[in-house]
Amino acid sequence: MYKLNSDSTIVLFPGIYEMLDKIKKAQKNVAIVSSKKTDVLKKNCRQLKIDHFIDVFIGSDLVQLHKPAPEGLHVALKLMNNDDLAKVIYIGDATVDIMMGTSAGVKTCAVLWGAHSEEELMSSDPTYIASDVHTLDNILGLTH
């Protein structure tokens, strides 16, 4: 969703704010499961002005088993009272994200604008792959 610049400021990838807005208008829940500590994750989201779109923040300090173990995703789903795994999609830019989603029994989407190459991400066998935000919008059913 965002990247770290050399001057230590974070920047939201183009189109992400609008996509999150569409998700919330569609009354869907959003959680972030991160390897960062929860307070850092929340601070980053506040800086990006997207914190109001996020229902649940799960940082590494809230779980004992980190990615690719599914614990963080299980905790997020429990906090959102969501036990219908068929309606869940976990989006990530790293192989551990895709592995976590698969281990949790949910659909996964690898995005190509982050940490790992398309080849690396494909090796983790995602349900979907998105090369840009428009494609991700389509996968999420946000475009009409």
Side-chain angles (χ1 to χ4, degrees), residues 6 24 32 50 52 61 83 86 127:
S6 59
K24 294 314 286 183
I32 297 179
I50 61 167
H52 62 286
D61 55 308
D83 57 2
T127 312

Side-chain angles (χ1 to χ4, degrees), residues 4-73:
L4 202 55
N5 283 342
S6 59
D7 64 355
S8 297
T9 60
I10 54 175
V11 178
L12 202 61
F13 282 103
I16 295 295
Y17 187 94
E18 294 80 7
M19 183 190 68
L20 288 169
D21 188 48
K22 288 180 203 173
I23 290 170
K24 294 314 286 183
K25 285 179 178 168
Q27 299 180 338
K28 297 184 185 296
N29 291 321
V30 176
I32 297 179
V33 179
S34 178
S35 298
K36 296 178 182 182
K37 299 235 185 258
T38 304
D39 62 335
V40 174
L41 174 60
K42 287 180 176 181
K43 179 183 173 200
N44 289 163
C45 288
R46 277 192 305 274
Q47 285 178 275
L48 295 168
K49 297 182 177 21
I50 61 167
D51 55 312
H52 62 286
F53 293 127
I54 313 304
D55 300 295
V56 173
F57 299 86
I58 304 295
S60 60
D61 55 308
L62 297 181
V63 297
Q64 291 187 2
L65 301 173
H66 303 117
K67 296 178 188 182
E71 183 183 357
L73 188 49

Side-chain angles (χ1 to χ4, degrees), residues 108-112 118 121-122 126-131 135 139:
T108 59
C109 182
V111 296
L112 300 183
E118 182 173 2
L121 288 164
M122 290 303 288
T127 312
Y128 307 101
I129 192 153
S131 58
T135 303
I139 290 167

